[in-house]
């Protein structure tokens, strides 16, 4: 799939039924307990696409797993099925990392905190400037 800009990803998420709002550098699109954060900017594709869900690790990860395939498709992440398959193998882990094509994929779980949850972040390795929120 050809890369698309962050605004097109947010529009696609909105069209898919997500409720989207802007929070500084990110657009946050929520569907049920899971949210997709898209770093804004004029890059050829979003430098960061991040999925989050609150709650116990297994529940939060399951909520991310439900929306992950469609979110990757909407964001035009090539090799999305490899990411989905890999994510499905992370049960019981608190951190994991994978490189797929030009994407660095990082999974982390917060357990003994005030806001437990799971996070899956895809970072574009080709991005050279303004690649992270301040």
């Amino acid at each position: 799939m050809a890369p698309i800009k962050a605004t097109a990803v947010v529009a696609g998420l909105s069209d898919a039924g997500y409720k989207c709002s802007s929070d500084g550098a990110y657009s946050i699109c929520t569907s049920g307990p899971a949210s997709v954060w898209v770093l804004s900017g004029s890059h050829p594709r979003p430098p960061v696409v991040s999925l989050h869900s609150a709650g116990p690790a297994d529940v939060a990860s399951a909520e991310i797993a439900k929306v992950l395939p469609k979110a990757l498709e909407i964001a035009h992440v090539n090799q999305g099925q490899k990411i989905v398959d890999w994510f499905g193998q992370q049960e019981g882990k608190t951190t994991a990392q994978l490189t797929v094509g030009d994407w660095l994929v990082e999974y982390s779980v917060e357990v003994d905190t005030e806001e437990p949850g799971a996070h899956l972040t895809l970072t574009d390795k080709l991005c050279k400037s303004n690649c992270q929120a301040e």
Side-chain angles (χ1 to χ4, degrees), residues 34-90:
S35 62
V36 180
W37 293 42
V38 181
L39 184 61
S40 304
S42 60
H43 304 83
R45 65 181 182 187
V48 178
V49 176
S50 187
L51 292 89
H52 305 272
S53 186
D58 57 340
V59 174
S61 294
E63 292 300 334
I64 290 173
K66 287 180 191 176
V67 301
L68 182 59
K70 188 67 175 173
L72 295 177
E73 179 185 326
I74 290 169
H76 283 208
V77 174
N78 292 319
Q79 301 168 320
Q81 190 58 50
K82 285 185 181 179
I83 296 169
V84 170
D85 293 345
W86 172 83
F87 184 70
Q89 299 167 2
Q90 303 314 307

Side-chain angles (χ1 to χ4, degrees), residues 12-133:
L13 291 167
S14 291
D15 290 346
Y18 284 74
K19 303 266 186 265
C20 297
S21 62
S22 182
D23 182 16
Y26 283 91
S27 292
I28 301 171
C29 299
T30 305
S31 175
S35 62
V36 180
W37 293 42
V38 181
L39 184 61
S40 304
S42 60
H43 304 83
R45 65 181 182 187
V48 178
V49 176
S50 187
L51 292 89
H52 305 272
S53 186
D58 57 340
V59 174
S61 294
E63 292 300 334
I64 290 173
K66 287 180 191 176
V67 301
L68 182 59
K70 188 67 175 173
L72 295 177
E73 179 185 326
I74 290 169
H76 283 208
V77 174
N78 292 319
Q79 301 168 320
Q81 190 58 50
K82 285 185 181 179
I83 296 169
V84 170
D85 293 345
W86 172 83
F87 184 70
Q89 299 167 2
Q90 303 314 307
E91 188 174 326
K93 296 182 182 176
T94 55
T95 62
Q97 202 172 71
L98 171 73
T99 298
V100 175
D102 298 325
W103 294 98
L104 174 61
V105 184
E106 298 176 281
Y107 170 65
S108 65
V109 173
E110 309 226 6
V111 278
D112 295 324
T113 66
E114 289 184 21
E115 296 182 26
H119 314 281
L120 183 69
T121 302
L122 287 80
T123 306
D124 181 1
K125 295 187 320 178
L126 298 178
C127 187
K128 301 297 180 211
S129 64
N130 300 321
C131 304
Q132 295 289 334

